[in-house]
């Protein structure tokens, strides 16, 4: 029905008019009761890929007695290797993920995900990843240098094979159209054929980008096993069920993880996880940050600045003290100058030192240390206070 209508519209144009028919006019002319518009649009798309004498230029369809560029594009597409096509798809994916922190694209196994610093990583697995070859547990448990240290700082985004098949096909057509455009002098393309190739390239690029944007089906995170039978269990969240309008792939992943990975934590949660109390007066902040990223008992956080802001809030509310300038010994941590302990003060989160030279102090202990330091003005080095590690 669609092809017949295009054929009829391919004749009889007045002088100076563009021959052929716009898609909107064609759909309007072929609609009938019981025939859905989307079916017609899909049929037109298939015709453009299959019919050798159907031309689509200037957004108009028409038949010509000369072949179109479809076969030429197909022949050119077959010249590109699978690796070249995947490189193009990877470029598309990296464009989708541009500016996203902690992203790992197509890691070559567990060793491809960095384990050298505390940072939450979101790994987008290779389109050809298969669980029988590389189990998800291996990503959680292993790194390049041995057992993974930061096991609580990982999310794995799993590919949708069907979407990546579409992306491969579109990427091939895109590469072929671009290649032919570069060789237009060799083939002697007319201006109209060059326009048709440009349109094919643009359409294929959009199709590939859209398929890559839908190319991941779910995101998996390791969580503490509720039954206690294992160290952790894997929770999967479906990305396809999330609304995609106006949102990038990574935004949907972040949304899917929003109930498991947090941008803030409360002071109560910070103090509970730090374990401060009568038997533990201080915790070194670099150790505390490591615990958040290492142990499944701890809250998952996007960045270490989450800890810094919680420390700032705890100090401002006199719920804990903060000290910089430590000497760490065998089982003890010495505060160089107790007069520099901060409690009940507003300290911006970006000024909190999270290194091994700073500590979070139990509130009562910090008050006593600070009071004693001010009372003993001019204290000597041998009088430094010792904080149980």
């Amino acid at each position: 029905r669609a092809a017949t209508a295009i054929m009829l519209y391919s004749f009889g144009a007045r002088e100076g008019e563009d021959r052929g028919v716009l898609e909107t006019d064609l759909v309007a002319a072929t609609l009938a009761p019981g025939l859905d518009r989307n079916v017609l649009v899909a049929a037109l798309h298939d015709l453009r890929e299959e019919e050798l004498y159907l031309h689509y230029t200037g957004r108009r369809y028409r038949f010509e007695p000369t072949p179109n560029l479809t076969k030429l594009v197909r022949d050119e597409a077959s010249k590109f290797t699978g690796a070249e096509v995947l490189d193009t798809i990877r470029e598309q994916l990296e464009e989708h993920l541009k500016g996203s922190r902690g992203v790992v694209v197509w890691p070559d196994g567990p060793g491809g995900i960095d384990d050298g610093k505390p940072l939450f990583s979101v790994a987008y697995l290779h389109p050809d990843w298969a669980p029988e070859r590389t189990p998800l547990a291996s990503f959680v448990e292993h790194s390049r240098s041995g057992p993974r240290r930061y096991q609580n700082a990982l999310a794995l985004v799993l590919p949708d094979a069907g979407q990546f098949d579409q992306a491969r096909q579109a990427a091939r057509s895109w590469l072929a159209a671009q290649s032919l455009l570069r060789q237009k002098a060799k083939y002697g393309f007319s201006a109209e054929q060059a326009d048709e190739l440009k349109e094919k390239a643009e359409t294929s690029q959009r199709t590939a980008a859209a398929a890559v944007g839908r190319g991941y089906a779910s995101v998996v995170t390791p969580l503490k096993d509720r039954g206690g039978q294992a160290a952790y269990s894997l929770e999967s969240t479906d990305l396809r069920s999330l609304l995609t309008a106006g949102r990038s792939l990574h935004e949907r992943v972040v949304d899917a993880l929003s109930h498991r990975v947090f941008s803030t934590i409360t002071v109560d949660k910070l103090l509970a996880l730090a374990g401060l109390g009568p038997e533990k007066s201080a915790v070194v902040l670099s150790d505390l940050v490591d615990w958040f990223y290492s142990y499944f008992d701890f809250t998952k956080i996007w960045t270490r600045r989450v800890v810094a802001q919680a420390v700032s809030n705890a100090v401002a509310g006199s719920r804990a003290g903060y000290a910089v300038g430590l000497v760490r010994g065998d089982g003890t941590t010495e505060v160089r100058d107790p007069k520099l302990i901060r409690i009940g003060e507003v300290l911006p989160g970006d000024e909190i030192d999270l290194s091994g030279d700073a500590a979070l102090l139990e509130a009562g202990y910090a008050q006593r240390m600070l009071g004693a330091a001010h009372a003993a003005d001019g204290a000597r080095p041998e009088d430094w206070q010792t904080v149980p590690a």
Side-chain angles (χ1 to χ4, degrees), residues 2-85:
T4 301
I6 295 171
M7 178 64 77
L8 292 173
Y9 273 112
S10 298
F11 302 99
R14 295 191 183 90
E15 187 176 348
E17 284 185 347
D18 291 327
R19 289 190 299 113
V21 57
L22 293 170
E23 183 173 300
T24 52
D25 295 335
L26 180 61
V27 171
T30 49
L31 276 175
L35 180 59
D36 188 88
R37 179 184 184 281
N38 293 328
V39 174
L40 280 170
V41 172
L44 287 171
H45 181 271
D46 290 344
L47 283 171
R48 283 163 56 181
E49 298 301 317
E50 300 295 334
E51 289 296 327
L52 193 57
Y53 293 91
L54 176 64
H55 293 255
Y56 180 69
T57 55
R59 300 190 179 280
R60 287 178 174 270
Y61 293 89
R62 71 173 184 275
F63 279 103
E64 293 278 0
T66 55
N68 60 25
L69 299 171
T70 299
K71 185 175 186 302
L72 195 58
V73 170
R74 284 180 184 167
D75 291 345
E76 190 70 15
S78 66
K79 298 177 183 178
F80 292 94
T81 65
E84 289 173 312
V85 172

Side-chain angles (χ1 to χ4, degrees), residues 161-173:
Q163 290 295 335
F164 272 108
D165 285 344
Q166 291 182 28
R168 281 185 170 96
Q169 184 177 354
R172 278 190 181 278
S173 296

Side-chain angles (χ1 to χ4, degrees), residues 28-302:
T30 49
L31 276 175
L35 180 59
D36 188 88
R37 179 184 184 281
N38 293 328
V39 174
L40 280 170
V41 172
L44 287 171
H45 181 271
D46 290 344
L47 283 171
R48 283 163 56 181
E49 298 301 317
E50 300 295 334
E51 289 296 327
L52 193 57
Y53 293 91
L54 176 64
H55 293 255
Y56 180 69
T57 55
R59 300 190 179 280
R60 287 178 174 270
Y61 293 89
R62 71 173 184 275
F63 279 103
E64 293 278 0
T66 55
N68 60 25
L69 299 171
T70 299
K71 185 175 186 302
L72 195 58
V73 170
R74 284 180 184 167
D75 291 345
E76 190 70 15
S78 66
K79 298 177 183 178
F80 292 94
T81 65
E84 289 173 312
V85 172
L86 275 177
D87 285 343
T88 301
I89 293 173
R90 181 170 184 144
E91 289 173 6
Q92 288 281 338
L93 178 58
E94 288 174 343
E95 184 65 27
H96 277 282
L97 302 176
K98 185 187 296 183
S100 302
R101 183 179 173 85
V103 163
V104 182
V105 177
W106 297 0
D108 54 345
I113 303 174
D114 183 40
D115 192 43
K117 55 186 177 181
L119 175 69
F120 196 91
S121 298
V122 179
Y124 289 80
L125 301 190
H126 193 281
D128 297 329
W129 168 80
E132 57 272 16
R133 292 199 301 268
T134 314
L136 291 176
S138 67
F139 288 99
V140 178
E141 297 171 11
H142 304 293
S143 68
R144 192 176 300 278
S145 58
R148 183 169 295 279
R149 178 182 182 184
Y150 298 120
Q151 294 188 357
N152 199 39
L154 183 64
L156 303 167
V157 194
L158 311 187
D160 183 328
Q163 290 295 335
F164 272 108
D165 285 344
Q166 291 182 28
R168 281 185 170 96
Q169 184 177 354
R172 278 190 181 278
S173 296
W174 180 25
L175 290 170
Q178 288 180 311
S179 175
L180 290 171
L181 281 169
R182 290 192 294 269
Q183 304 176 72
K184 62 182 179 181
K186 171 185 172 181
Y187 287 98
F189 293 136
S190 65
E192 193 172 78
Q193 287 176 315
D195 287 342
E196 186 175 346
L197 278 174
K198 288 176 185 175
E199 192 150 355
K200 280 183 178 291
E202 291 170 0
T203 301
S204 298
Q205 182 183 16
R206 287 194 299 269
T207 302
V212 170
R214 300 188 301 267
Y216 285 87
S218 60
V219 56
V220 171
T221 47
L223 304 171
K224 182 181 180 181
D225 185 55
R226 294 178 181 176
Q229 302 300 313
Y232 65 91
S233 59
L234 295 173
E235 179 186 78
S236 177
T237 305
D238 192 348
L239 295 173
R240 293 167 296 190
S241 61
L242 299 174
L243 296 175
T244 61
R247 293 196 297 172
S248 68
L249 169 62
H250 195 64
E251 285 173 336
R252 286 187 285 125
V253 170
V254 170
D255 186 26
L257 293 173
S258 61
H259 66 300
R260 292 299 182 192
V261 189
F262 298 92
S263 299
T264 61
I265 56 172
T266 65
V267 172
D268 287 339
K269 175 63 78 172
L270 175 75
L271 298 180
L273 292 173
L276 295 178
E279 297 181 0
K280 188 176 184 180
S281 300
V283 60
V284 176
L285 285 174
S286 61
D287 293 341
L288 182 59
V289 169
D290 276 358
W291 298 341
F292 271 96
Y293 288 108
S294 302
Y295 303 124
F296 296 118
D297 288 325
F298 278 67
T299 304
K300 294 181 189 295
I301 55 175
W302 286 111

